[in-house]
């Protein structure tokens, strides 16, 4: 199961940056990235709508290193949509060989960020007791969350 931590400052050692986007919120998005245009063009090309669980991922160069930027659709922002989005983010990041992801929840409140985290933790749970074959690649281990009312969950 992945670990989840609410942080007050953005760490420097993440492999993926996850940015939640509400339904039809792509046009209002202001990405704090060097290659924001590439991420936006990719999302538009994929007809990313911001619906619950919709995903648009792009590898970009950020600060001299390669980072996977994942736009995560949260739909209307209701409980079910947020938990679904959290589960979808885990599924996608497992397939991208990402060990640590940063969820930029600065546009969300603490409860919304917590619901995404809950969905992610539930989706990451697995029974591996009798597994004889090792999984290949990097294991997704941690989701750090910055924002969401400065890390306060209400």
């Amino acid at each position: 199961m992945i670990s989840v931590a609410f942080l007050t400052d953005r760490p420097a050692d993440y492999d993926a940056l996850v940015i939640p986007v509400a339904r039809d919120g792509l046009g209002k998005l202001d990405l704090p990235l060097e290659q924001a245009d590439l991420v936006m063009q990719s999302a538009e090309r994929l007809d990313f709508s911001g619906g619950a669980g919709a995903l648009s991922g792009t590898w970009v160069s950020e600060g001299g290193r390669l980072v996977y930027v994942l736009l995560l659709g949260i739909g209307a922002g209701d409980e079910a949509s947020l938990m679904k989005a959290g589960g979808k983010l885990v599924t996608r990041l497992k397939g991208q060989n990402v060990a640590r992801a940063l969820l930029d929840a600065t546009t969300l409140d603490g409860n919304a960020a917590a619901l995404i985290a809950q969905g992610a933790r539930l989706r990451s749970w697995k029974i591996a007791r009798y597994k004889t074959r090792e999984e290949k690649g990097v294991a997704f281990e941690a989701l750090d969350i910055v924002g969401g009312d400065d890390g306060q969950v209400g």
Side-chain angles (χ1 to χ4, degrees):
M1 185 175 289
I2 64 169
S3 67
V4 175
F6 282 83
L7 307 174
T8 56
D9 296 317
R10 182 180 236 171
D13 63 337
Y14 57 89
D15 303 313
L17 175 62
V18 181
I19 301 171
V21 181
R23 178 175 301 283
D24 299 324
L26 189 61
K28 303 170 197 159
L29 197 59
D30 183 26
L31 297 173
L33 302 168
E34 295 169 6
Q35 295 183 320
D37 290 342
L38 177 64
V39 174
M40 294 299 284
Q41 289 172 4
S42 176
E44 289 168 3
R45 182 76 178 233
L46 293 170
D47 290 328
F48 177 79
S49 66
L55 302 168
S56 175
T58 309
W59 285 96
V60 298
S61 177
E62 184 68 22
R65 61 190 177 89
L66 202 56
V67 175
Y68 187 69
V69 177
L70 181 64
L71 300 183
L72 176 67
I74 59 170
D78 61 322
E79 183 176 333
S81 296
L82 293 165
M83 288 186 66
K84 179 179 181 178
K88 293 283 188 170
L89 102 86
V90 168
T91 303
R92 174 64 67 91
L93 293 181
K94 279 185 176 182
Q96 295 297 324
N97 287 332
V98 168
R100 175 174 231 97
L102 175 66
L103 173 64
D104 183 349
T106 53
T107 60
L108 303 175
D109 65 19
N111 286 327
L115 286 168
I116 292 173
Q118 182 179 9
R121 285 203 32 109
L122 289 171
R123 180 62 182 95
S124 70
W125 189 83
K126 63 183 176 182
I127 299 174
R129 185 175 184 172
Y130 299 107
K131 194 172 190 177
T132 58
R133 184 180 53 170
E134 291 292 323
E135 292 182 9
K136 295 180 181 178
V138 176
F140 179 45
E141 299 171 348
L143 176 64
D144 294 330
I145 302 172
V146 172
D149 292 341
D150 295 325
Q152 300 300 316
V153 179

